Amino acid sequence: MNRYSLFTILLFAFSYFTLNAQPKIIFDTDIGGDADDLGALAMLHNYIKNGDCELLAIMNWTTDEYAVPAIDAVNRFYLHPDIPIGTRKDGTHISETNYNKIIADNFQYKLTYSDVPETVDLYRKILASEADSSVTIITVGPLLNIQRLIQSKPDKHSPLNGSELISKNVKEFVIMGGHFPKGENEWNFNGDMPGVTKFVVENLEVPLVFSGFELGVQIKTGAVFNNIDKDTPLYKGFLHFSEHAPWMKENFKGEILDNSTFDQTAILYVVEGGIGEYWKKIDGGICEVDENGDNRWKKGKKTNQSYLKLIAEPEMMAEIIEAIMLNRYERH
C-alpha cells in the first residue's frame, strides 16, 4: 500500500466519522404545557438507545413543581437515569392541567427541584468540558435560560463569559419558535417575557436554525398512542394533555387526540438532517424580533441564521415522527 492510498483511506475515514458523528445535544424544554415536549424527549431517548445521539443534559424552563420529577421519571423509564438535569431557579408553582404530576405520580423518580442545579450553572459546566464547536443546543420553550447563559460571567467552570463560551463550544443553536416568514404571538417567542427572544436572537453569533410554528402545526401525531401500553409516560402524558389542554378538551372523549407536532421537528432535524427530503433550509436574511416576540424574516445577505420550510407531506412526517417516538423507525 503506497502513501497516497493510505492518505485516501484516512481522509475517507475522517470524512465518514465527521459526517456520521453522533450529535451532542443539550435539550431546553418547557415540559408539561404541551405534549410535544414529552414526545420530543421520547425521541431523544430512543435515538440514544440506537446510538444516534448523545444527550448531555436536559434544561427545564418551567417553574412547575413537578417538572424535574417528570423529567427524571422519563429518564429512568428509558433507562438513562444519569442524564444531568438543570432547572430555572425562580421558585415553583403547581399546575393541575400540566401532565408533569401525572407522570411523577405513576413512574419512579428520585430528583426534585431542590436536587438539581440551576440551568446556567449546568450549561456552563457542560459547555466548558466539551470540545470546541461540538455541542448543539435545542430549545423548545421560551428562551430565558439562554438569555441568562449569554449574560453569565466567568466562574469556576470557565474564564469565559457566556457569549464567549457559546461562541467557542456551540456548533449550532436550533430554536423551535416563531412563525416564518412572519408571525405574531407564538408562545416560545413570547412566553410572557418581553424582550427575551429579541435579546437572544440578536446576541447569538453561532449558526442559528429556526423550526417555526408553521411546520409543526401541519403535522398531527398522538392518537396512535391509544394502541400502546397504558403504563408508559407517552400514554399517560398524552392522555392527560388531551383531556385538559384548553384547545383539546372540547373534543376529548376518553382517548388521546392528535395534536400539533412542534418540538419533535427540531429533534428530527438535529439528529437526521433531512434537508432536501423533509424540509428546505431558507437562508439569505435574518429573523427580526420585536419586544413582544413577534417576528419576521428580513431577506438579505447570508447570515448565521436560517429557517426550515416543510417540503414533505405532513402525513408522511407524522408517520416518521410517531415511529421514532415509539422506537419503531429504522434510519436510512
Side-chain angles (χ1 to χ4, degrees), residues 102-123:
I102 295 299
I103 291 177
D105 286 346
N106 284 275
F107 301 95
Q108 180 188 21
Y109 69 88
K110 294 183 179 180
L111 300 177
T112 65
Y113 174 88
S114 60
D115 297 317
V116 301
E118 195 274 333
T119 52
V120 172
D121 182 70
L122 185 56
Y123 262 121

Side-chain angles (χ1 to χ4, degrees), residues 74-198:
V74 172
N75 289 352
R76 292 175 189 280
F77 178 85
Y78 286 98
L79 305 180
H80 303 133
D82 298 325
I83 296 171
I85 301 170
T87 194
R88 178 177 148 210
K89 295 286 187 174
D90 288 336
T92 62
H93 75 286
I94 295 178
S95 172
E96 297 298 330
T97 60
N98 283 13
Y99 53 79
N100 292 328
K101 186 175 186 301
I102 295 299
I103 291 177
D105 286 346
N106 284 275
F107 301 95
Q108 180 188 21
Y109 69 88
K110 294 183 179 180
L111 300 177
T112 65
Y113 174 88
S114 60
D115 297 317
V116 301
E118 195 274 333
T119 52
V120 172
D121 182 70
L122 185 56
Y123 262 121
R124 291 186 58 85
K125 178 181 179 181
I126 290 173
L127 289 178
S129 67
E130 295 295 328
D132 292 0
S133 301
S134 64
V135 178
T136 298
I137 295 177
I138 306 174
T139 65
V140 296
L143 297 168
L144 185 63
N145 289 334
I146 307 305
Q147 181 187 48
R148 290 175 173 174
L149 173 61
I150 293 170
Q151 294 173 327
S152 65
K153 306 297 183 184
D155 61 3
K156 62 185 178 182
H157 302 304
S158 173
L160 304 178
N161 64 37
S163 181
E164 293 166 339
L165 193 57
I166 291 169
S167 294
K168 180 176 183 293
N169 294 93
V170 173
K171 175 183 178 181
E172 186 174 63
F173 243 98
V174 179
I175 294 178
M176 189 277 118
H179 295 252
F180 293 87
K182 182 180 180 180
E184 299 177 354
N185 202 35
E186 192 278 320
W187 167 250
N188 288 354
F189 270 25
N190 180 298
D192 293 331
M193 294 182 169
V196 170
T197 299
K198 176 178 173 65

Side-chain angles (χ1 to χ4, degrees), residues 32-304:
D34 195 311
D36 57 345
D37 296 80
L38 180 59
L41 191 53
M43 289 176 71
L44 285 168
H45 279 292
N46 289 329
Y47 277 136
I48 294 167
K49 180 178 180 180
N50 294 321
D52 295 323
C53 78
E54 183 178 351
L55 186 54
L56 301 177
I58 301 168
M59 305 298 186
N60 172 52
W61 170 85
T62 178
T63 59
D64 178 62
E65 181 175 326
Y66 291 95
V68 171
I71 293 170
D72 187 41
V74 172
N75 289 352
R76 292 175 189 280
F77 178 85
Y78 286 98
L79 305 180
H80 303 133
D82 298 325
I83 296 171
I85 301 170
T87 194
R88 178 177 148 210
K89 295 286 187 174
D90 288 336
T92 62
H93 75 286
I94 295 178
S95 172
E96 297 298 330
T97 60
N98 283 13
Y99 53 79
N100 292 328
K101 186 175 186 301
I102 295 299
I103 291 177
D105 286 346
N106 284 275
F107 301 95
Q108 180 188 21
Y109 69 88
K110 294 183 179 180
L111 300 177
T112 65
Y113 174 88
S114 60
D115 297 317
V116 301
E118 195 274 333
T119 52
V120 172
D121 182 70
L122 185 56
Y123 262 121
R124 291 186 58 85
K125 178 181 179 181
I126 290 173
L127 289 178
S129 67
E130 295 295 328
D132 292 0
S133 301
S134 64
V135 178
T136 298
I137 295 177
I138 306 174
T139 65
V140 296
L143 297 168
L144 185 63
N145 289 334
I146 307 305
Q147 181 187 48
R148 290 175 173 174
L149 173 61
I150 293 170
Q151 294 173 327
S152 65
K153 306 297 183 184
D155 61 3
K156 62 185 178 182
H157 302 304
S158 173
L160 304 178
N161 64 37
S163 181
E164 293 166 339
L165 193 57
I166 291 169
S167 294
K168 180 176 183 293
N169 294 93
V170 173
K171 175 183 178 181
E172 186 174 63
F173 243 98
V174 179
I175 294 178
M176 189 277 118
H179 295 252
F180 293 87
K182 182 180 180 180
E184 299 177 354
N185 202 35
E186 192 278 320
W187 167 250
N188 288 354
F189 270 25
N190 180 298
D192 293 331
M193 294 182 169
V196 170
T197 299
K198 176 178 173 65
F199 177 90
V200 169
V201 171
E202 291 178 355
N203 285 277
L204 285 177
E205 299 178 353
V206 298
L208 175 55
V209 180
F210 298 99
S211 178
F213 178 94
E214 72 286 348
L215 264 68
V217 77
Q218 301 177 68
I219 304 167
K220 307 296 184 181
T221 62
V224 67
F225 299 147
N226 287 304
N227 300 316
I228 66 172
D229 184 352
K230 291 178 171 54
D231 194 23
T232 59
L234 280 176
Y235 181 86
K236 300 285 188 187
F238 272 75
L239 183 68
H240 186 84
F241 174 76
S242 294
E243 182 178 5
H244 294 280
W247 59 95
M248 302 280 280
K249 61 184 181 181
E250 288 185 4
N251 298 315
F252 181 72
K253 293 181 174 58
E255 292 191 334
I256 296 169
L257 300 169
D258 271 335
N259 180 55
S260 297
T261 308
F262 301 113
D263 299 350
Q264 296 97 321
T265 61
I267 306 300
L268 184 63
Y269 163 73
V270 169
V271 179
E272 303 210 22
I275 301 299
E277 181 179 7
Y278 304 146
W279 26 59
K280 181 179 180 182
K281 185 181 281 189
I282 307 298
D283 53 20
I286 194 165
C287 179
E288 292 187 335
V289 186
D290 68 17
E291 287 291 321
N292 296 318
D294 298 343
N295 73 283
R296 74 181 185 99
W297 184 258
K298 182 180 179 181
K299 294 182 180 180
K301 65 180 181 180
K302 190 171 182 178
T303 68
N304 66 314

